[in-house]
């Protein structure tokens, strides 16, 4: 690790270009350390023998400590400070290109974000995460919310502290303004607590630059339109036959099929791997080393291939990151929502489409022959498409179809925001949750394990994360629409398995753009001329499912 | 990473126990970083996609830099210094146990070893390693020594510098004394070069505390006895039939057989893995995470199982390390030679023995049935044992049998020592090599690629390493003899596959002892009452092969 001995006084005599180069060396070292952390995590999920867990925890903790030291190094701070000063006296865009300027912006944001939190708070959060994870697992098993509630209470307390520090950091301006306005309108004095704007600060950890205000508008519109759509589908009381999706699907054959499809979509196996893990994920250790996982269920074929295509979408983003700026923040994905847009675009816009099954069904039939697949051999792409797109409200988010999914997210969003900002108490969560599932999905939650205890996110302090799933779906539709406009006959390309045209377009317009923009909304605006728009998403769902269910 | 802000002045007021605890925290952090490096290397050999090589090199280099910083931290130096001072004023053995005292001793040695070398020299060595590796591969391919010679020249130069610094470090006393004595006897003045004792310093990097003088005695005795033994066997002009070892051995079945045998020997699959790589190795990431590899050849069954048993021996050492002192230097293997003794003990004393094949042959026959293995199905353990133990002088070290192997090593030892200490030149190496192969093995080397270019060690600056292979064989015989004396009916236990008795004995007497002793010779003396003794090794070879070849 390069240790720059120079003080900030000496930095004053260096050119902006030279300062940038110094910054760049440090950012790359931080990038390498994060790559190593990524490998440790992948290994833990996929390869590590079980007895190694305790030693791995120590290794990860030492590495996290070193990474934190590198990220909060006072020399790094001095370089950033000096570059900030330069902005006042010279036009940096004359010596640095937009990617380099974005590196400085992101580096400054991350530096502030890392340094503003007191070490004790960071430690307390880490301890709570691991304790709460255990408590949550137990509570879910027993379906006993009271066993988890004290940990959620503590999370809310610590997250408020986190948000409060962030508001003071100078890089969460939107959140700070909301809070200031609320305080003024409530006539609060210095020291009197006010948590308004805190959710904005938490949201921006995962979804850079996105406004909670805009999120609220989008989500309200989705509610208004999707709840009646679900009701309409339910009222039809009809399902397409999907018996050929269930049955006895040999795992080796599923594996071969999944590997073939992900490779034909464009996953570069020379710069990545596809393995199996309990929960599918993609680990972007480095654009030249992208490791994804899936899982196969013997009696249901859909899970494995859907998971594979979803993770392939994430992987194409990682493999497509800007080669000029590897290991630098600018080449990172813009936000969780934009990352999810890439997995969902391939999973839903492509993998759940008619043209895709025109391409994939013959390959599937090649892989699965014999007596247990007789029915599969006779099915048409049209029938297969409809069977693959069943809509059926259920309790569990991760099993939800694309129509019901947003309602799972909106429930969580409304509850976690109200919790952090003080509008409901931890004790009220199950009641609020169940009322919303009744209203949005028409379901009576009988047990908290199929209700507010189903997801691990809150146990890990991940508040502000859930909305990115649904932002990802909306981005995906708008991005795919833009791709369709830009690529003549995209549907025909997909039907022939010519995925490279779409991949190339996504590489150029999304992946290589990295974190050049300040928010996903800016990216969409530049790409389509329009802000993120729930109406477009609703139209997509309505048209697709009106045809499938003959509404 | 704990950063101790206290200066050495303040350390003076702390108790020895408290100093030790502070030392221990730092040593454990260093241990964790080394574990991470181990994982990176394992992954690189076994899992990493090819395009990730460049990024991995950067990750490893950043990690190596951080590890070096931790190992040479001035605070670590102050703690060690303060503990050294205490030795003069108080009896540390009253407050610290022998394992803790050994930790201090090893930590001090490593600290001196790391800090005495100038950063530029370390860097120059690293650069040369990677350049020389490429040049060597090319030179070997073309069998053109002249393409490698300049790199070897440079290695000798840098290794002499390394040795020279080490002599000044205060922890290579043996080497320093040899040099001093030689200088005196030659009447050399300050500044006049003298390389005597330098080989001792290099040897001790791999074989802690072992005297080159003793090595020379052992190796001379081996030469005197093994050269005639090889000649005798050759003169017999007879080989046992081993046609059932060659053939068509399905890799999946070999894998199943290897996994079964290594598990029955005692490899804990909950705390380790067995995979495949180009060159078999064992990576002791942590005693709870021991990963070994082997490789399978379809037409020769011996390579896969022998490799597996060899690496299982290494793995049992790693998994058996002292639980009380994980992540601390005392739990590390004592030396490369002692580590090799564990792989060789299982590979040769067990895996090449008659009782072992009484146990393993029925399992082998279970695994390989059908027309291509008809002959295998009829073979007896006695026949199998003899076929497995063919002696046949050849050019290539890694293919050598246990009789010829020491001659390969002695050749390299004599050459590398003469090179470093200035008794031959780099240009003379092929001539000297070929003369020795003629004398020791009766072979005419026709091409340098089957001669002095065959091994990668010198290209990587590994001079002083080769002797540990043969030290390992001698240790193995003496350790196995001690085990036989301690364990009644050991042969019968092996014939029944009851390996746990031997494993337990090795755990207690070798593995858990870690680096408590200062040299392998001390370990053997404590265990058997005798120093390392080439006569015992010669007797083992002579008795075994006199029976096999009816000499």
């Amino acid at each position: 690790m390069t240790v720059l001995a120079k003080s900030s006084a000496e930095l004053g005599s260096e050119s902006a270009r030279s300062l940038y180069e110094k910054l760049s060396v440090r950012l790359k070292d931080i990038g390498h350390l994060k790559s190593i952390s990524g490998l440790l995590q992948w290994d833990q999920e996929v390869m590590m023998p079980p007895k190694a867990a305790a030693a791995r925890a120590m290794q990860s903790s030492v590495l996290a400590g070193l990474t934190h030291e590198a990220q909060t190094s006072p020399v790094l701070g001095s370089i950033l400070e000096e570059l900030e000063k330069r902005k006042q006296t010279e036009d940096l865009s004359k010596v640095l290109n937009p990617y380099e300027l974005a590196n400085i912006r992101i580096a400054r944001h991350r530096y502030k974000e890392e340094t503003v939190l007191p070490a004790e708070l960071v430690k307390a959060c880490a301890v709570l995460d691991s304790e709460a994870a255990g408590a949550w697992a137990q509570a879910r098993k027993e379906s006993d919310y009271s066993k988890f509630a004290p940990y959620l209470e503590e999370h809310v307390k610590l997250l408020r502290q986190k948000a409060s520090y962030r508001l003071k950091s100078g890089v969460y301006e939107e959140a700070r303004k909301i809070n200031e306005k609320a305080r003024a309108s409530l006539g609060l004095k210095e020291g009197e607590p006010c948590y308004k704007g805190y959710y904005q600060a938490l949201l921006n950890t995962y979804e850079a630059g996105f406004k909670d205000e805009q999120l609220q508008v989008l989500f309200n519109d989705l509610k208004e339109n999707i709840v009646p759509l679900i009701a309409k589908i339910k009222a039809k009381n009809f399902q397409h036959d999907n018996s050929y999706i269930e049955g006895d699907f040999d795992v080796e054959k599923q594996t071969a099929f999944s590997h073939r499809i992900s490779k034909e979509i464009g996953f570069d196996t020379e710069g990545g791997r596809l393995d199996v893990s309990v929960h599918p994920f993609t680990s972007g250790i480095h654009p030249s080393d992208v490791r994804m996982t899936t899982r196969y269920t013997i009696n249901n074929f859909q899970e494995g291939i859907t998971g594979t295509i979803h993770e392939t979408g994430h992987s194409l983003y990682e493999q497509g990151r800007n080669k000029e700026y590897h290991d630098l923040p600018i080449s990172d994905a813009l936000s969780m929502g934009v990352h999810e847009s890439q997995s969902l675009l391939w999973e839903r816009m492509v993998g759940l489409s008619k043209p895709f099954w025109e391409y994939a069904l013959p390959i599937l039939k090649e892989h699965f022959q014999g007596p247990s697949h007789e029915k599969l051999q006779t099915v048409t792409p049209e029938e297969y498409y409809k069977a693959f797109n069943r809509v059926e409200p259920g309790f569990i988010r991760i099993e939800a179809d694309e129509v019901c999914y947003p309602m799972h997210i909106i429930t969580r969003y409304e509850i976690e925001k109200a919790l952090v900002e003080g509008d409901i108490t931890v004790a009220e969560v199950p009641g609020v949750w169940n009322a919303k599932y009744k209203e949005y999905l028409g379901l009576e939650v009988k047990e908290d394990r199929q209700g507010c205890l189903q997801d691990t996110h809150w146990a890990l302090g991940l508040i502000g994360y859930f909305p990115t799933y649904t932002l990802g779906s909306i981005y995906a539709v708008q991005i795919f629409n833009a791709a369709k406009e830009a690529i003549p006959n995209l549907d025909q390309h997909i039907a022939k398995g010519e995925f490279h045209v779409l991949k190339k377009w996504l590489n150029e317009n999304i992946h290589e753009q990295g974190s050049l923009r300040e928010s996903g909304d800016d990216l969409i605006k530049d790409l389509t001329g329009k802000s993120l728009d729930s109406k477009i998403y609703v139209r997509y769902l309505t048209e697709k499912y009106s045809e499938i269910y003959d509404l």
Side-chain angles (χ1 to χ4, degrees), chain A:
Chain A
M1 225 65 203
T2 317
V3 173
L4 295 176
K6 289 201 170 189
S7 72
S8 57
E10 286 171 85
L11 292 173
S13 62
E14 307 222 13
S15 72
R17 162 61 53 194
S18 148
L19 287 168
Y20 175 78
E21 298 302 340
K22 285 200 157 56
L23 174 69
S24 185
V25 167
R26 291 186 161 255
L27 296 178
K28 281 183 184 173
D29 276 352
I30 294 168
H32 298 316
L33 291 175
K34 286 185 175 177
S35 288
I36 299 173
S37 285
L39 177 69
L40 259 60
Q41 274 165 23
W42 173 84
D43 182 80
Q44 187 167 334
E45 300 296 328
V46 185
M47 293 294 161
M48 192 182 82
K51 284 187 183 169
R56 178 57 51 86
M58 296 304 296
Q59 293 150 17
S60 298
S61 144
V62 169
L63 191 63
L66 283 172
T67 310
H68 179 73
E69 268 187 43
Q71 286 174 316
T72 57
S73 134
V75 187
L76 178 61
S78 304
I79 299 169
L80 288 165
E81 205 53 45
E82 186 58 36
L83 280 163
E84 194 63 17
K85 272 194 225 156
R86 295 302 167 88
K87 272 202 212 161
Q88 321 302 323
T89 56
E90 55 178 306
D91 182 359
L92 293 187
S93 71
K94 284 188 179 153
V95 281
L96 299 169
N97 71 31
Y99 294 88
E100 293 167 334
L101 289 170
N103 265 329
I104 298 174
R105 172 179 55 77
I106 306 162
R108 187 164 177 271
H109 182 91
R110 291 187 185 168
Y111 181 77
K112 293 270 178 186
E113 206 173 26
E114 281 284 330
T115 48
V116 77
L117 300 182
E120 311 83 65
L121 179 57
V122 174
K123 210 175 165 184
C125 289
V127 171
L128 180 60
D129 284 357
S130 81
E131 287 175 358
W136 164 78
Q138 194 57 33
R140 186 170 80 149
K141 204 171 153 195
E142 298 173 20
S143 200
D144 181 354
Y145 180 74
S146 72
K147 291 211 165 127
F148 176 55
Y151 296 92
L152 185 54
E153 190 81 56
E154 191 63 18
H155 263 311
V156 169
K157 199 182 107 194
L158 295 183
L159 284 168
R160 282 178 182 164
Q161 289 179 26
K162 257 194 184 175
S164 159
Y165 281 110
R166 285 197 176 142
L167 261 54
K168 292 172 196 152
S169 71
V171 290
Y172 282 88
E173 279 308 282
E174 192 62 33
R176 200 188 51 74
K177 278 184 213 154
I178 297 171
N179 188 262
E180 207 170 63
K181 217 170 138 186
R183 299 185 72 87
S185 82
L186 293 165
L188 293 174
K189 284 178 213 145
E190 183 76 29
E192 284 180 291
C194 169
Y195 308 124
K196 294 296 157 194
Y198 280 28
Y199 190 75
Q200 173 78 54
L202 298 174
L203 172 70
N204 289 160
T205 320
Y206 310 105
E207 195 61 32
F210 208 91
K211 291 186 188 173
D212 179 37
E213 201 185 342
Q214 189 185 355
L215 194 59
Q216 190 124 33
V217 174
L218 291 169
F219 281 7
N220 281 339
D221 187 50
L222 292 186
K223 264 199 297 191
E224 262 175 50
N225 288 284
I226 294 177
V227 172
L229 180 61
I230 295 172
K232 257 188 181 173
I233 295 171
K234 252 190 169 173
K236 271 280 173 175
N237 208 6
F238 164 82
Q239 288 297 5
H240 293 279
D241 178 18
N242 74 347
S243 56
Y244 33 81
I245 288 171
E246 286 165 7
D248 181 14
F249 290 90
D250 178 74
V251 166
E252 257 182 63
K253 288 177 187 164
Q254 283 196 60
T255 305
F257 180 66
S258 270
H259 278 257
R260 170 152 173 199
I261 297 294
S262 72
K263 206 170 168 177
E264 293 194 359
I265 284 177
F267 179 66
D268 177 4
T269 54
E270 296 278 294
R273 301 177 51 94
L274 168 56
D275 294 279
V276 166
S277 68
V278 180
H279 302 287
F281 69 99
T282 294
S283 175
I285 295 166
H286 188 269
S288 63
D289 194 0
V290 176
R291 308 192 185 188
M292 59 174 174
T293 65
T294 187
R295 62 176 168 200
Y296 305 106
T297 312
I298 291 177
N299 55 12
N300 184 321
F301 161 76
Q302 192 163 7
E303 193 174 300
I305 188 61
T306 305
T308 300
I309 299 174
H310 182 96
E311 299 306 330
T312 300
H314 280 307
S315 291
L316 293 189
Y317 196 159
E318 289 297 315
Q319 292 189 328
R321 280 162 57 186
N322 200 312
K323 288 192 185 11
E324 300 268 317
Y325 300 97
H326 278 181
D327 305 310
L328 288 169
I330 171 71
S331 86
D332 288 351
L334 179 49
S335 72
M336 300 297 298
V338 175
H339 220 310
E340 191 72 8
S341 81
Q342 297 306 291
S343 52
L344 291 176
L345 185 146
W346 286 98
E347 179 194 337
R348 295 181 179 169
M349 309 296 113
V350 179
L352 292 182
S353 75
K354 254 186 272 189
F356 181 80
W357 286 103
E358 283 172 32
Y359 145 77
L361 194 58
I363 302 174
L364 182 64
K365 288 180 181 177
E366 259 175 48
H367 280 75
F368 295 96
Q369 299 181 347
S372 57
H373 302 296
E374 268 170 20
K375 213 168 164 190
L376 173 68
Q377 291 295 334
T378 64
V379 76
T380 67
E382 175 83 18
E383 289 169 322
Y384 205 82
Y385 161 74
K386 288 183 177 170
F388 232 65
N389 280 283
R390 282 163 84 107
V391 173
E392 211 162 21
F395 296 102
I396 304 302
R397 176 184 62 84
I398 56 167
E399 295 168 2
D401 54 76
E402 60 179 332
V403 178
C404 299
Y405 204 105
M407 307 322 300
H408 290 267
I409 295 306
I410 293 169
T411 300
R412 287 155 178 78
Y413 161 71
E414 290 174 340
I415 291 174
E416 65 183 20
K417 184 180 166 186
L419 262 182
V420 166
E421 302 203 341
D423 296 329
I424 63 167
T425 65
V426 166
E428 289 167 328
V429 168
V432 176
W433 179 290
N434 298 352
K436 286 184 192 290
Y437 265 58
K438 177 77 191 153
E439 185 189 342
Y440 302 158
L441 293 160
L443 297 171
E444 299 274 359
V445 178
K446 296 278 189 330
E447 296 184 301
D448 288 334
R449 80 174 119 206
Q450 58 173 209
C452 64
L453 286 175
Q454 67 180 270
D455 286 317
T456 188
H457 299 57
W458 290 342
L460 299 174
L462 297 173
I463 285 186
Y465 185 108
F466 279 123
T468 69
Y469 292 114
T470 288
L471 285 177
S473 340
I474 311 177
Y475 289 131
V477 172
Q478 288 184 243
I479 291 171
F480 192 67
N481 287 349
K484 266 190 177 167
E485 270 183 42
I487 304 166
N489 309 317
L490 179 55
D491 276 357
Q492 279 142 272
H493 282 300
I494 293 173
K496 288 188 216 153
E498 296 162 358
F499 301 109
H500 58 278
V501 279
L502 177 58
K503 176 178 167 267
K504 184 167 174 279
W505 188 89
L506 291 169
N507 281 157
E508 289 166 6
N509 290 285
I510 310 291
H511 312 158
E512 288 166 16
Q513 301 292 313
S515 289
L516 194 57
R517 310 291 187 311
E518 297 199 26
S519 76
D521 200 49
D522 287 350
L523 177 71
I524 292 296
K525 268 189 266 180
D526 285 354
L527 204 61
T528 67
K530 273 188 190 174
S531 234
L532 206 59
D533 186 352
S534 49
K535 301 255 173 293
I536 301 175
Y537 185 61
V538 168
R539 192 185 318 132
Y540 156 75
L541 288 182
T542 310
E543 285 175 5
K544 177 172 175 180
Y545 290 92
S546 292
E547 193 222 333
I548 292 176
Y549 282 96
D550 193 21
L551 300 179

